[in-house]
Amino acid sequence: MSRLAAVREAVGAAGIGALLLTPGADLRYVTGYDALPLERLTCLVVPAEGEAFIMVPRLEIPAAEHSPAARLGLEFVAWDETDDPYSVVAGRIGQVATIGLAERMWAMHSLRFRSVLPGAEQVLATSVLRGLRTRKSPAEAAALREAGAAIDAVHAQVPQFLKAGRTEREVGRDIAEAILAAGHATVDFVIVASGPNGASPHHELSDRVIQAGEPVVIDIGGQMPSGYCSDSTRVYCVGEPPADFAEYYEVLRRAQDAACEAVRPGVSCESIDAAAREVIAEAGYGDHFIHRTGHGIGLETHEEPYIVAGNTEPLAPGFAFSVEPGIYLSGRHGARIEDILICTEDGGERLNNRPRELVVV
Ligand code: ZN
Ligand code: ZN
């Protein structure tokens, strides 16, 4: 069954009048169209009854017609600069009770839909799509595997870039270039967190000069031409690490392994988080692990399922997510080890395979 057909079936099963998907990962998942997010409305409309269609600003029609969406037999409804595309959608779907909106639809679009469909309750399209998007198909798993290998190839080069006396920004520029050279279409993020900056999980590149003896947390990722994303963290040390750092790094490594080994179908998302957290807490670092253990990944770097306490959803084959526990000592240093895994019938398959020992450069 095509994705569009599967989505139409899911819309009906969810009791939603219509699904409205503006540019973003949901639209790309369903149609393959990587449309520009604009103030002009582009929107795939999947009604529970009747045919799906896509509203496209007339000037975007050539781009839409060159996209994979053109092969789906979808009607492209072109609208001109003086038309009101929201009213066109409302006129076609009628006064339905519920509409499902893409999670990242801009407020300017969702509010216009509210005004033309005042009787329709707005819910997130995620309720319809998450079951499809979290369970990766073999083709999606292959695309994620390719993304994992590409970012591993970048980590393999990091020791060449990392030297005492260079700034985080200089190292970050080299890494960004390597991310593109490894086959990514875009660089999504480059975290080079040296010394005390390593204690800030989402540290932004700075002009701080990396010193000898400092651990450096490197968390990098990009989007492949396929749309699928990479995301992997390794820790490097410029020279010999401080003794206390080396000690908790080993705790972290055991925690990350424990969580990866716990992955198998039927096990809850929160139990993967607990597997990592237990090891860290037992070693006395529980208060220093300040975030969830992981997030789903696919066409977005962060998507369902979240590997966090409270998420009782059982893992199933095809679920893809990160396992990235961290230990952060404020003002001193920090560490995180991150791999992407896919849940298979036999357990977790790691898509990142660079050595997880502390790399001394
Ligand atoms: Zn990451
Ligand atoms: Zn991550």
Side-chain angles (χ1 to χ4, degrees), residues 107-292:
M108 63 182 290
H109 298 309
S110 59
L111 292 177
R112 291 296 302 278
F113 280 124
R114 176 160 291 166
S115 67
V116 296
L117 293 163
E121 186 194 354
Q122 296 189 342
V123 299
L124 291 178
T126 314
S127 61
V128 175
L129 294 173
R130 72 182 307 284
L132 296 165
R133 281 189 55 193
T134 49
R135 214 183 250 265
K136 267 65 181 180
S137 69
E140 291 181 284
L144 282 168
R145 221 171 266 127
E146 190 182 29
I151 208 69
D152 280 3
V154 179
H155 269 298
Q157 298 168 62
V158 165
Q160 294 163 234
F161 305 145
L162 207 51
K163 288 187 177 56
R166 297 196 82 197
T167 66
E168 292 176 353
R169 203 180 305 282
E170 287 165 346
V171 173
R173 269 192 212 116
D174 288 344
I175 290 174
E177 253 176 54
I179 288 174
L180 295 175
H184 293 85
T186 59
V187 178
D188 285 349
F189 54 92
V190 176
I191 296 175
V192 178
S194 64
N197 291 339
S200 169
H202 283 166
H203 172 69
E204 294 277 343
L205 287 177
S206 80
D207 293 316
R208 184 177 187 280
V209 176
I210 300 164
Q211 310 291 319
E214 280 184 346
V216 184
V217 181
I218 300 211
D219 184 353
I220 51 179
Q223 192 173 36
M224 300 291 281
S226 64
Y228 287 81
C229 298
S230 66
D231 181 7
S232 177
T233 310
R234 289 292 184 268
V235 185
Y236 301 80
C237 198
V238 183
E240 284 308 311
D244 61 340
F245 177 84
E247 184 193 302
Y248 75 73
Y249 185 82
E250 275 313 299
V251 172
L252 182 64
R253 207 157 68 83
R254 282 194 288 116
Q256 205 261 356
D257 269 341
C260 291
E261 279 160 22
V263 173
R264 59 184 176 277
V267 160
S268 68
C269 290
E270 67 176 359
S271 70
I272 305 304
D273 179 82
R277 208 164 293 279
E278 263 168 38
V279 175
I280 291 173
E282 256 171 43
Y285 292 99
D287 292 343
H288 300 283
F289 178 15
I290 53 176
H291 55 70
R292 65 188 177 216

Side-chain angles (χ1 to χ4, degrees), residues 10 27 54 59 76 80 82 95 151 168 172 220 225 230 253 261 291 301 338:
L27 178 65
I54 183 163
L59 77 167
F76 285 14
D80 292 299
T82 53
Q95 292 298 325
I151 208 69
E168 292 176 353
I220 51 179
S230 66
R253 207 157 68 83
E261 279 160 22
H291 55 70
T301 308
E338 176 179 26

Side-chain angles (χ1 to χ4, degrees), residues 219 231 295 302 322 324 338:
D219 184 353
D231 181 7
H295 52 82
H302 286 194
S322 71
E324 51 175 310
E338 176 179 26

